[in-house]
Amino acid sequence: MRVDILTLFPEICRAPLSESMMKRAQQAGALDLRIHDIRDWAKDKHHIVDDAPFGGGQGMVMKPEPIFAAVESLRTAESRVLLMTPQGRRLTQQIARESSHQQHLIVICGHYEGIDHRVVERLVDVEISIGDYVLTNGAIAAVVFVDAVVRLLPGVLGDENSAEDDSFASGLLEAPQYTRPAEFRGWKIPDVLLSGNHAQIAAWRKEQALKRTRANRPDLLQE
Ligand code: ADE
């Protein structure tokens, strides 16, 4: 998969997407990631990328010209253009999975008070929010989105099955996990995990997953 990120802050994206699994995905050829500075497409002398909002109001709005120029120079017939914005559809595992089937993602990071709406109307296929809170910068949201998508690409996770057990893949949160020591500060792990009885362990995990989901995310059980 090819991913182009368009941001005013390339460095915010670079480090988190060049470590661990994201590094491995690139080394394995599963991910061709390019991080671009939108300013490189601002053709005026001072590389201006924002301006005051028409109609008045606080803050600055990202200008359309550099963003159109960037996307038009990068896109092909296979590209899907996304905008990271708190006004977007809320990111879910399903959106991550659908996105992982695309050949080419162009991810635009918003900044300032917003982005000229002609970008949304004429250029963007889908607006994505990573949650109901406001970050200073869409680049942080883009990192979250790209990580969630890339780990689903074939060959990126060591064990092909491990994405299957994820929270949300089953509709429930994951059951608790424990590792050695079996007793720590006097706190013992549940006996069933030492029983060697796989059917009982599976039943315990299912019950714990339900309990955790009920406590932390009752909304997942209501659908
Ligand atoms: N930019 C600022 N806040 C954001 C959010 N919650 N999701 C996506 N992009 C954002």
Side-chain angles (χ1 to χ4, degrees):
M1 163 184 272
R2 166 139 172 201
V3 177
D4 287 275
I5 300 179
L6 295 170
T7 171
L8 294 172
F9 297 94
E11 294 311 315
I12 291 181
C13 299
R14 228 179 291 281
L17 294 175
S18 57
E19 300 279 347
S20 180
M21 290 291 177
M22 297 302 114
K23 180 178 180 178
R24 209 170 104 182
Q26 289 169 83
Q27 286 170 343
L31 172 66
D32 176 3
L33 174 68
R34 306 185 194 192
I35 301 168
H36 310 271
D37 190 336
I38 293 171
R39 275 192 189 80
D40 293 345
W41 279 277
K43 291 301 164 217
D44 63 293
K45 198 168 77 187
H46 300 291
H47 295 277
I48 291 173
V49 289
D50 63 329
D51 206 336
F54 276 119
Q58 296 251 307
M60 299 292 267
V61 175
M62 287 173 75
K63 289 166 67 60
E65 304 95 314
I67 299 172
F68 272 80
V71 171
E72 284 165 356
S73 74
L74 295 168
R75 83 175 158 197
T76 68
E78 275 78 51
S79 309
R80 192 162 170 80
V81 181
L82 302 102
L83 172 66
M84 303 313 299
T85 163
Q87 272 65 244
R89 285 186 211 173
R90 187 139 37 124
L91 178 61
T92 58
Q93 193 64 19
Q94 189 187 338
I95 291 180
R97 194 166 293 282
E98 283 162 13
S99 302
S100 75
H101 297 135
Q102 301 289 327
Q103 286 188 29
H104 182 202
L105 302 176
I106 299 177
V107 184
I108 305 168
C109 305
H111 192 55
Y112 305 118
E113 296 305 304
I115 193 160
D116 187 286
H117 200 60
R118 287 164 290 193
V119 171
V120 177
E121 290 173 318
R122 309 277 175 190
L123 206 55
V124 165
D125 296 311
V126 58
E127 298 169 88
I128 302 280
S129 163
I130 63 162
D132 292 343
Y133 41 80
V134 180
L135 304 166
T136 54
N137 195 307
I140 297 167
V143 167
V144 170
F145 172 72
V146 170
D147 184 282
V149 171
V150 169
R151 67 186 285 285
L152 298 175
L153 297 176
V156 172
L157 293 185
D159 175 359
E160 283 282 340
N161 296 323
S162 47
E164 303 282 304
D165 295 336
D166 282 350
S167 289
F168 309 112
S170 69
L172 295 178
L173 302 183
E174 276 184 71
Q177 303 270 24
Y178 297 89
T179 186
R180 273 185 282 272
E183 183 173 341
F184 165 66
R185 295 188 177 174
W187 302 314
K188 292 187 176 140
I189 68 163
D191 286 338
V192 64
L193 297 177
L194 297 169
S195 69
N197 183 327
H198 295 294
Q200 270 183 25
I201 292 172
W204 178 86
R205 286 195 170 133
K206 181 77 200 287
E207 180 195 307
Q208 293 295 316
L210 260 170
K211 189 172 151 196
R212 208 176 195 184
T213 308
R214 226 178 269 125
N216 293 345
R217 293 293 307 277
D219 55 301
L220 293 177
L221 296 170
Q222 272 153 22
E223 280 153 23

